[in-house]
Amino acid sequence: MECTTIIHSRVMKRHPNLGECEVAFAWEGYLCSAIRIPGEREVRLGFDQQGRLIEMVGVHTIDGWLVFHAMTPPSNKTIDEMRRAMRRL
């Protein structure tokens, strides 16, 4: 079974400036991540093909990742969360 990345339709409804391909590209080639629920939920920052930094949150399912939140630019709260996660490494 191949793992996939699925982008929930609510992402494009709430943020019409983001397309499914852009979010999937950023999710799969992410810069950094923070685990919110181990093995289940992650927040990631990644660049899309246009060079925009995107904040994304996804849950791990039996079929792969379901990204249910994405926005650009990332919130300051998420950037701070990433800084804290990187300090723990």
Side-chain angles (χ1 to χ4, degrees), residues 33-36 81-89:
S33 69
I35 298 170
R36 288 191 173 164
E81 182 178 356
M82 291 297 161
R83 286 186 181 131
R84 287 191 306 275
M86 292 176 76
R87 278 190 224 127
R88 289 191 298 256
L89 294 177

Side-chain angles (χ1 to χ4, degrees), residues 1-85:
M1 178 187 293
E2 180 181 322
C3 289
T4 59
T5 301
I6 300 165
I7 311 304
H8 197 285
S9 60
R10 79 183 285 275
V11 170
M12 284 69 71
K13 288 178 186 172
R14 292 181 54 93
H15 303 281
N17 61 324
L18 293 174
E20 187 174 345
C21 291
E22 288 89 355
V23 175
F25 183 87
W27 180 264
E28 292 166 9
Y30 67 98
L31 281 174
C32 55
S33 69
I35 298 170
R36 288 191 173 164
I37 301 174
E40 293 180 27
R41 185 174 294 193
E42 280 188 27
V43 59
R44 294 181 180 182
L45 292 178
F47 287 102
D48 68 2
Q49 299 96 318
Q50 299 175 39
R52 298 179 296 181
L53 187 58
I54 301 176
E55 163 188 325
M56 302 158 288
V57 181
V59 293
H60 196 257
T61 69
I62 196 164
D63 296 323
W65 287 97
L66 171 64
V67 179
F68 63 88
H69 167 77
M71 64 183 239
T72 188
S75 68
N76 289 334
K77 180 180 174 184
T78 298
I79 291 172
D80 289 343
E81 182 178 356
M82 291 297 161
R83 286 186 181 131
R84 287 191 306 275

